[in-house]
Amino acid sequence: MKNAKMSMAALAFAAAGLFAFNAVRTGSIKGTVNPADAAVRAWALSSTDTLKAEINKGTFEITDAKAGTYRVIIEAKPPYKNAAKDGVTITDGQATDIGEIKLEQ
């Protein structure tokens, strides 16, 4: 009887653990940069996270973003200047397309 109770308790903890991991769903931030060859990386900053992604042929996608509001910074190559977009909102499990970001010289 004692072994059966211990087995049931272990099973309950294991099931609770599986549900806890499924509760956190991440989203992503994607967009394009113009000119396509003028940028190196895209950064997403929030009060708790700093995420980055390489820019490939003018496009990027920052993955594993938790729900919240981010500032996206495009790291540019000289002579171009870095660009930023504030107030990018991520929803659980959704991809947010921020469109095109134009870099200035």
Side-chain angles (χ1 to χ4, degrees):
M1 186 65 125
K2 187 175 183 180
N3 286 339
K5 287 182 182 180
M6 291 296 283
S7 295
M8 290 299 283
L11 183 61
F13 283 122
L18 288 175
F19 287 117
F21 285 113
N22 287 334
V24 176
R25 294 182 10 194
T26 59
S28 66
I29 302 167
K30 61 183 180 176
T32 60
V33 178
N34 187 6
D37 61 347
V40 180
R41 267 180 233 56
W43 296 83
L45 309 171
S46 74
S47 60
T48 58
D49 283 331
T50 299
L51 306 168
K52 69 178 178 178
E54 300 298 316
I55 297 176
N56 186 12
K57 298 179 184 175
T59 64
F60 65 89
E61 184 168 11
I62 302 169
T63 58
D64 296 327
K66 296 175 190 160
T69 304
Y70 289 81
R71 179 174 201 213
V72 176
I73 299 171
I74 303 301
E75 184 180 338
K77 297 177 189 175
Y80 292 94
K81 297 177 185 172
N82 293 351
K85 184 166 187 166
D86 292 316
V88 176
T89 303
I90 304 299
T91 307
D92 278 341
Q94 300 295 315
T96 299
D97 190 340
I98 63 171
E100 181 181 74
I101 296 177
K102 293 186 180 200
L103 299 177
E104 302 290 327
Q105 287 191 1

